[in-house]
Amino acid sequence: MSGRTAKALTEAAGLVRGPQRVLPLIHRLTHDKIRVTFDRRHLYSYATTTRPTSDAMELLIRWLLDAQRADGGIAAYYSLLTGYSESYPEVTGYVIPTLFDYSQLDFAHSDSAQPTKHESASAAVERAIQWLLSLQMPTGAFPGGLHGSSSEVQPSVFNTGQILIGLVRAWRETDRSDVRDAAIAAGGWLVKMQQSDGSWSGPGAYQGTAHTYYSMVSWALAALANQSADHRDDHRDDDRDDGRNGDLNDDRYGLAAERNCDWVLSQVRPSGWIDGINLQGHPSYLHFIAYILQGVLECAILRGRSDAIQTIANSAWVMLRKFETNKYLPGAFGEDFKNGRKFTCLTGNAQMSCVWLRLFEMTHDLRYLNAALKMNEMLKHLVPRNGPRGIFGGVSGSYPVWGAYQPLRYISWGCKFFADALMLEQRLTRSYEAACAP
Amino acid sequence: MRTVVLCSSVYSETACAMTVRLAQSGCAPVGALTLSSLDPGTLLRKLGQWGVRDVTRFAVAKLFPQNTGKREYLRNTYLKPLLTQRKQICRNLREIAGEYDFPITMCRDQNAPSSVAQLKAWSPDLIIFTGGNILRRQLLDVPRLGVLNMHLGLLPQIRGMNSPEWSLLKDIPVGVTVHYIDSGIDTGPVLQRCEFPDASQCHSLADLRNRLIAFGIDRVAEVVLALDRGSLAASPQSELDRDNQFFVMHEWLQARAVERLKKNCRSSVAAGTSHG
C-alpha cells in the first residue's frame, strides 16, 4: 500500500473516531460547492469593503489561540476528518511575531474586552516560547515534522529557520538571555549547515536537496544579524560577557543570509519564474512560490539589497497581473507561471498580499496596495463566521476546501499569514492616510 | 467618412451621445453594432458599473415611462444637450438610429465571426468604440483607418481601468486621450491628448467621470473630422516598455481619490480660479 493511500485511509478513519465531524464536513463541502458554482469570480466583488478588517483579525487570532495545545505548541491544522493535529514546532515558531504584532495593535486595546485578548495573545507567546526552548537539540537545530509523530527526531534546516524568526522577535521583545542563546545556537547551526554556494542541501534539507523557498531561512538569519547588532550596540558598555557575545561580534549571519539570497537570485528566469522549488511528488504550490518571494524580499530589505528587491518586484508584478486579469491566483503553477491549477491556495494568497504590501511600502506604487486590498477582501469572505472550533475563523488550505493543497484542512499558517497581511494593511493604510492629510 | 459605432448596449448614454455628436458633425454612422442588453455578461457588467439601485431605477423608467414620469432620468446630465431630441430625452440608440437613418445590429460578442462579417459589410473607414468586449485582431483589421477609443486618462502615463481616479492619486493631470486600439491595453497610437481644464470644479468622482465623457465625445468628433480632412496623423506611444497599466481601484483608494479631488476643488476656490 502506498504511503499516500495509507494516509488517506488514516484520515478517513478519523471520521469513525469522531462522528461529530461528519455534519461540519458535509456543510463545508456543500458550502464550497455552491459557492464555486454560483459565486462571481469577479474582482468588482472584492473592490468593496464588506467585512471590517478588525473583525476578521479577531477571528484569525482566536483560531490560532484555540489551536494551541496543552504542551504550548500550535497545532499544524484542524482536519475536517481527524480534528486537530499534534503541535507543530515550525508554525509555533513563526506565529510568535504575529501574536506580538497583534498584542501591540491599537485596536487590541480599544474596548474593555480587549485587554483580555491582548493578555491571551501574550500568554500564548510565553507558552510557545517555553515549549520551543524545550525542543532545541544540543546542536542548536530544531526538529522537523509534527511533534511526537516519529520516534526518530531529525533536525530540519527549514524548520529551524522558521522557528528562528520567532526566537529573534521574542529576543527583541523580552531581552531574555535564554531566548537569545537559543537564537544564536540556531543561527550558528544554520551557518554551519550551509553549502558553499549559499544553498542548504544534504542532511537537514527536505528530500536532501536544495530548495529556493529556503529563502525564508535567509530572512531569519538576516533578522538575527540585525538583532545581534542592535544588542551589541545596546550592551556596548556592559562588562558581562558570558561567552556568547563573541558570536555577535561579526556579521556571519548576515553574510550567510546574503549568500543564500544570491543563490536564489541566480535561479530567477527572465519571465520572473524562480526555479528550484524541488519538491518531488508535489506541484509548485503558490505557498512555496510566495515563500521564495517573501524570504528574499524580507532579507533584501533588512540587508539593503535594492537589486534583490527589484528582482522580487518583477516576479511579484507577474503575479499581480495574473490576479488582476484572471480575478484569482491559481493554487499551483507550472514553469514560467504557466498551466495554473483551478483551485486557490489561500495561504499563498495571503503571503502574496504580504509581499505586495511590503513592495508598496518600499516602492510607493499604489497598485501593489490596491491588489493587496482586494486580495484581503477576497480572503475575508472565505473565513467561516460560524461552525465548530477549528473551522470558525480558520483559513482552509485550499478553496474549494477539497483543492490539492492541504485538502479538507484549516491550517494554522494560513491564519498566521492572513493575520500578518491584515495587520500590514492596517499599518500601511494608516500611514498613507496620515501622509495624505492636509 | 464611413463610421461605425460599437456599443455595450442600446441604452448606453455614451454611445447615444457619441452617435448624435458624430451626426451633428456630418459623420453620421453607417451602422452600429451593439451587445444585447439581455446578455448575462452585459447585465453583470451593468450591475457592476451602476449597482443594483440604478439598474432597477433605469429598468423601471424604461418599462413604465408614462406611469413614473422617469423618462427624463439621465445618469450623465452633461450629455443632456446631445440627448435632447424634440424636447425629450432620448437614450435609446434605436430612436437615434431612426432619427439619423442607420441600421443597428445586436450581437452577443463583438468579435464573433457574424459580427465581423456585418462590420465588413458596412465597409467602414473608422470604427468608434464606446464599450463592449476586448477587441480581437480580426475585428481591428476591418476598418480602413482603425478603431478609435476615448480613454479617460492621459496616455501613456495611465493605461487601463479607473483612469481618472488613478490620475488623481498619482498627481497626473486628468484628461482624455483619443487613440487607435491595438492588441494591447490602451497602447495604440495616439491621435489627440487633452488635459481636462475643469477637474477642479468636480465635486465627486462620478461628476468628474461624467464631465470627462462629455469632454471626450467632443474630442472624438474633432478627431473624426480631422481624419476626414486628412489633417491628423497618429503618433506611436512612448513608454511602451513601461508597465503603466492600472486596474480596478479598491474603494478605500477611491475614497482617497475623492479626498484629493475635494482638496483640489478647495484649493481652486481659494485661489479664485473656479468658474462656479
Side-chain angles (χ1 to χ4, degrees):
Chain A
M1 191 188 310
S2 74
R4 195 168 288 186
T5 311
K7 194 176 165 189
L9 284 175
T10 310
E11 291 261 315
L15 277 186
V16 179
R17 289 194 302 274
Q20 76 280 5
R21 287 192 282 269
V22 171
L23 280 180
L25 170 67
I26 293 170
H27 176 255
R28 290 321 305 174
L29 291 173
T30 312
H31 177 274
D32 278 13
K33 183 63 188 169
I34 291 171
R35 188 158 188 160
V36 293
T37 306
F38 294 107
D39 197 19
R40 279 193 298 165
R41 267 190 269 170
H42 204 282
L43 272 188
Y44 286 122
S45 323
Y46 307 119
T48 304
T49 306
T50 52
R51 295 191 182 180
T53 293
S54 55
D55 289 0
M57 176 74 65
E58 296 291 321
L59 294 181
L60 295 166
I61 298 296
R62 181 172 159 184
W63 192 98
L64 285 171
L65 297 182
D66 282 350
Q68 191 164 35
R69 309 287 79 202
D71 56 14
I74 307 284
Y77 56 81
Y78 176 87
S79 163
L80 290 171
L81 302 173
T82 58
Y84 280 111
S85 74
E86 295 91 344
S87 295
Y88 194 24
E90 179 197 340
V91 171
T92 306
Y94 71 78
V95 87
I96 288 172
T98 306
L99 293 175
F100 271 123
D101 286 341
Y102 174 77
S103 65
Q104 293 163 4
L105 279 181
D106 288 347
F107 72 70
H109 309 279
S110 60
D111 63 49
S112 57
Q114 294 296 346
T116 313
K117 289 176 186 164
H118 164 243
E119 286 160 14
S120 302
S122 300
V125 168
E126 176 58 34
R127 290 176 59 213
I129 292 169
Q130 282 312 120
W131 182 65
L132 287 171
L133 293 182
S134 74
L135 296 180
Q136 193 167 29
M137 298 167 152
T139 56
F142 283 90
L146 295 175
H147 184 59
S149 60
S150 165
S151 55
E152 199 179 339
V153 176
Q154 295 289 339
S156 162
V157 166
F158 188 70
N159 294 22
T160 301
Q162 296 276 67
I163 292 166
L164 180 57
I165 289 173
L167 291 178
V168 170
R169 179 64 184 270
W171 175 13
R172 184 175 288 278
E173 296 290 340
T174 66
D175 204 24
R176 276 170 51 174
S177 60
D178 55 346
V179 175
R180 179 196 65 182
D181 293 348
I184 290 170
W189 183 74
L190 289 171
V191 172
K192 189 176 153 197
M193 298 300 287
Q194 191 176 34
Q195 303 297 312
S196 56
D197 64 358
S199 69
W200 281 276
S201 58
Y206 186 64
Q207 296 175 334
T209 56
H211 308 278
T212 37
Y213 69 87
Y214 276 35
S215 60
M216 293 295 280
V217 180
S218 71
W219 173 11
L221 285 171
L224 177 63
N226 280 19
Q227 173 59 19
S228 301
D230 291 348
H231 179 86
R232 204 168 52 228
D233 292 344
D234 291 346
H235 296 260
R236 196 176 294 281
D237 301 326
D238 199 338
D239 290 337
R240 284 175 295 144
D241 183 350
D242 54 9
R244 293 277 186 184
N245 285 343
D247 294 328
L248 306 178
N249 286 337
D250 60 40
D251 193 26
R252 61 192 179 125
Y253 310 119
L255 294 173
E258 288 200 55
R259 268 199 303 277
N260 180 253
C261 206
D262 287 332
W263 176 73
V264 176
L265 293 177
S266 73
Q267 308 291 316
V268 180
R269 295 185 185 188
S271 66
W273 177 259
I274 303 174
D275 284 321
I277 289 180
N278 288 340
L279 285 173
Q280 289 159 32
H282 301 280
S284 295
Y285 289 118
L286 178 63
H287 171 55
F288 294 98
I289 297 168
Y291 260 159
I292 303 173
L293 303 183
Q294 243 184 325
V296 175
L297 179 63
E298 295 296 342
C299 178
I301 291 170
L302 289 168
R303 301 297 295 176
R305 288 280 304 269
S306 56
D307 61 325
I309 293 172
Q310 186 53 52
T311 303
I312 293 305
N314 291 343
S315 297
W317 184 254
V318 175
M319 305 290 272
L320 184 148
R321 285 190 70 99
K322 284 190 178 296
F323 174 61
E324 295 278 16
T325 309
N326 303 325
K327 320 301 180 195
Y328 80 106
L329 279 180
F333 289 92
E335 288 181 358
D336 293 321
F337 302 105
K338 289 177 181 159
N339 304 319
R341 299 271 292 268
K342 296 249 171 170
F343 71 96
T344 301
C345 166
L346 298 188
T347 307
N349 283 345
Q351 290 170 271
M352 285 313 304
S353 177
C354 292
V355 168
W356 291 333
L357 285 164
R358 290 288 273 159
L359 283 169
F360 163 64
E361 192 173 16
M362 303 309 297
T363 64
H364 308 294
D365 187 335
L366 286 164
R367 290 174 291 182
Y368 288 120
L369 174 62
N370 189 48
L373 288 169
K374 286 187 271 188
M375 178 66 90
N376 288 354
E377 203 57 45
M378 186 194 76
L379 291 169
K380 277 191 254 176
H381 280 261
L382 295 175
V383 173
R385 287 186 294 180
N386 50 44
R389 192 171 164 221
I391 295 176
F392 172 70
V395 174
S396 56
S398 292
Y399 171 73
V401 73
W402 59 84
Y405 182 69
Q406 298 288 332
L408 306 181
R409 288 175 175 176
Y410 285 80
I411 54 177
S412 47
W413 59 101
C415 286
K416 174 255 176 342
F417 283 116
F418 188 29
D420 286 349
L422 291 177
M423 286 189 278
L424 256 177
E425 175 196 309
Q426 190 175 61
R427 177 168 70 78
L428 295 176
T429 50
R430 282 182 180 178
S431 60
Y432 182 73
E433 268 180 320
C436 291
Chain B
M1 173 75 78
R2 292 176 64 82
T3 62
V4 167
V5 177
L6 295 187
C7 327
S8 57
S9 152
V10 288
Y11 301 116
S12 161
E13 291 178 4
T14 304
C16 291
M18 181 75 81
T19 311
V20 171
R21 184 70 180 82
L22 288 171
Q24 288 175 350
S25 309
C27 294
V30 296
L33 181 69
T34 176
L35 292 176
S36 164
S37 299
L38 294 176
D39 178 68
T42 310
L43 285 173
L44 273 180
R45 189 168 50 248
K46 281 293 164 205
L47 275 171
Q49 286 170 353
W50 293 5
V52 176
R53 197 183 62 170
D54 273 8
V55 167
T56 310
R57 194 175 166 188
F58 178 71
V60 168
K62 290 311 299 175
L63 289 170
F64 312 106
Q66 277 76 36
N67 297 345
T68 60
K70 299 266 179 154
R71 189 161 169 87
E72 291 293 309
Y73 172 67
L74 267 183
R75 286 181 53 79
N76 185 350
T77 52
Y78 299 100
L79 300 181
K80 194 170 179 179
L82 285 171
L83 296 181
T84 304
Q85 305 278 318
R86 298 193 192 92
K87 296 185 179 174
Q88 273 208 325
I89 297 291
C90 174
R91 47 169 301 176
N92 185 329
L93 200 60
R94 289 193 192 94
E95 294 172 31
I96 291 166
E99 181 76 22
Y100 293 101
D101 194 24
F102 63 85
I104 294 179
T105 298
M106 311 287 279
C107 66
R108 297 190 68 176
D109 178 0
Q110 291 166 336
N111 296 297
S114 57
S115 306
V116 173
Q118 175 61 74
L119 288 171
K120 283 180 178 169
W122 282 326
S123 185
D125 297 309
L126 200 60
I127 290 178
I128 291 115
F129 179 79
T130 66
N133 303 115
I134 292 174
L135 304 183
R136 306 293 173 204
R137 174 53 56 198
Q138 68 270 21
L139 192 156
L140 296 175
D141 288 341
V142 170
R144 182 176 62 85
L145 293 173
V147 181
L148 281 193
N149 181 45
M150 171 181 84
H151 175 68
L152 302 185
L154 294 182
L155 295 176
Q157 291 97 325
I158 302 282
R159 299 187 176 117
M161 306 289 285
N162 288 115
S163 303
E165 292 89 334
W166 284 113
S167 300
L168 287 165
L169 285 185
K170 300 278 288 179
D171 274 333
I172 291 168
V174 175
V176 167
T177 307
V178 182
H179 67 101
Y180 284 126
I181 295 179
D182 67 4
S183 55
I185 304 288
D186 300 324
T187 51
V190 170
L191 289 150
Q192 196 180 83
R193 186 177 180 276
C194 291
E195 283 189 28
F196 179 56
D198 299 331
S200 60
Q201 296 174 40
C202 301
H203 53 79
S204 69
L205 289 176
D207 186 44
L208 172 64
R209 185 170 282 275
N210 287 342
R211 286 181 192 239
L212 274 172
I213 288 170
F215 179 73
I217 286 171
D218 284 339
R219 303 290 78 74
V220 171
E222 286 171 11
V223 165
V224 172
L225 285 177
L227 287 172
D228 193 27
R229 289 194 301 266
S231 60
L232 181 63
S235 313
Q237 288 190 42
S238 58
E239 299 185 26
L240 281 177
D241 53 329
R242 291 186 58 181
D243 200 332
N244 289 343
Q245 189 179 351
F246 290 78
F247 303 95
V248 174
M249 186 182 277
H250 188 271
E251 71 168 12
W252 187 86
L253 282 170
Q254 288 204 24
R256 307 287 81 74
V258 170
E259 287 168 6
R260 193 68 63 90
L261 189 69
K262 289 181 174 168
K263 189 175 157 190
N264 293 349
C265 191
R266 283 195 300 272
S267 309
S268 164
V269 170
T273 56
S274 172
H275 304 295

